[in-house]
Amino acid sequence: PVETLLLEKDGEGRWQIPDNLTVLFWSGTALEPELGEQLAQSDQASVALLDAAGIQQLAKRTPADWKAPAEDADPHSESVGKGYGMVQTIRPEGVIDTNYWLDPLNAMAALETIKTVFQGVDERNHWGYQGNADQIVQALWELDTRVNRLLHDAGTRPFVVLNDEFQYLETRYKLTTAPASGSPEDILNKAGTRGAKCVVATRPFDQPLQSALDQAGLKSLVLDPAGQRMQTTTGAYFQWYGNLVSQLNECLTP
């Protein structure tokens, strides 16, 4: 009985928000600052999922923050796991890494907030929303279990990342990443120093770098951690996430 709409931007880059919306779900100002400004100038009720109870936020890191295993420990490592789950929300200092959906437990926390809001605005169907949410939470736990098993041995296999967009995946499944930038030689040196056999990026590799990786016998992989190519259909998150993890595991497998 409740109509849901997927909002998009117009040609001028402004979000098209109908006047009769009961509530708008969005990720939050850290990811969508333009939408935040637009909402601040309106009376539209909205819920920022990145700030939902139970979401574990991670501070965005730069390559300088990632240190070799033999060097100082990651400055964020002490906060990982404290209050993790559906009750306490971790709020780190600094610029927030916005790819929170790379952790299925964060997806559960966002779902819990969506369900609660729907139950509040449509009390007649309270238990219908509860039943639907329970099914999705079960599916998310099963997804998390499968990924844990698939990446069980991957934590001992470092891989080079050329973009800082994988931190939630790394933290959840205890993966070891080595950030690299600069010339193909710089990237190859980082891979050699860390013993990495796989180089991951979010954009296609340019020809000089691809040739250097091929000559060095390193695997290369382009992933979509932001979900830009995810279909807008029921169950798309599970398919997209499963494909992403499978591709990464294949790249990490000798």
Side-chain angles (χ1 to χ4, degrees), residues 37-65:
E37 294 178 1
Q38 192 171 336
L39 289 172
Q41 299 172 3
S42 71
D43 296 326
Q44 175 62 54
S46 63
V47 177
L49 296 178
L50 186 52
D51 296 323
I55 292 287
Q56 180 195 24
Q57 293 181 356
L58 298 176
K60 192 170 182 61
R61 301 183 300 188
T62 65
D65 294 319

Side-chain angles (χ1 to χ4, degrees), residues 2-239:
V2 175
E3 181 182 8
T4 58
L5 302 174
L6 179 63
L7 303 187
E8 298 179 347
K9 293 182 179 180
D10 59 22
E12 298 179 353
R14 286 182 61 83
W15 291 89
Q16 303 178 62
I17 304 176
D19 295 331
N20 59 344
L21 284 185
T22 302
V23 62
L24 184 147
F25 295 101
W26 64 308
S27 286
T29 303
L31 179 62
E32 299 164 333
E34 299 86 359
L35 180 55
E37 294 178 1
Q38 192 171 336
L39 289 172
Q41 299 172 3
S42 71
D43 296 326
Q44 175 62 54
S46 63
V47 177
L49 296 178
L50 186 52
D51 296 323
I55 292 287
Q56 180 195 24
Q57 293 181 356
L58 298 176
K60 192 170 182 61
R61 301 183 300 188
T62 65
D65 294 319
W66 289 359
K67 300 183 178 182
E71 298 173 359
D72 295 338
D74 188 309
H76 305 297
S77 61
E78 293 183 359
S79 67
V80 173
K82 291 185 178 180
Y84 198 83
M86 307 297 283
V87 179
Q88 181 181 348
T89 299
I90 298 173
R91 307 293 185 202
E93 297 180 358
V95 180
I96 301 300
D97 184 333
T98 56
N99 287 2
Y100 64 98
W101 49 78
L102 285 176
D103 185 339
L105 270 66
N106 277 346
M108 293 182 202
L111 174 67
E112 178 69 17
T113 294
I114 294 172
K115 178 207 70 175
T116 301
V117 171
F118 268 74
Q119 289 175 325
V121 299
D122 184 21
E123 296 181 3
R124 181 179 57 179
N125 293 289
H126 176 100
W127 294 110
Y129 295 121
Q130 184 67 54
N132 289 340
D134 289 346
Q135 290 184 36
I136 300 175
V137 166
Q138 180 62 34
L140 286 168
W141 277 121
E142 293 173 357
L143 172 68
D144 182 61
T145 300
R146 291 197 303 271
V147 174
N148 257 314
R149 291 173 178 170
L150 187 64
L151 298 180
H152 180 267
D153 298 324
T156 60
R157 302 169 187 159
F159 61 101
V160 170
V161 291
L162 304 186
N163 311 95
D164 186 20
E165 298 187 32
F166 303 94
Q167 189 182 182
Y168 287 95
L169 183 70
E170 170 200 343
T171 300
R172 177 61 186 153
Y173 300 109
K174 299 179 176 60
L175 304 179
T176 304
T177 55
S181 60
S183 67
E185 182 179 5
D186 294 330
I187 295 172
L188 291 178
N189 286 339
K190 177 58 73 69
T193 300
R194 298 295 185 88
K197 304 298 182 183
C198 173
V199 179
V200 180
T202 60
R203 296 181 293 275
F205 296 87
D206 58 39
Q207 190 56 50
L209 176 55
Q210 187 64 65
S211 297
L213 296 176
D214 292 341
Q215 292 177 8
L218 297 180
K219 296 181 180 181
S220 59
L221 177 64
V222 177
L223 291 177
D224 176 32
Q228 295 179 340
R229 295 186 291 275
M230 186 191 305
Q231 298 180 353
T232 55
T233 58
T234 301
Y237 173 85
F238 295 91
Q239 181 177 0

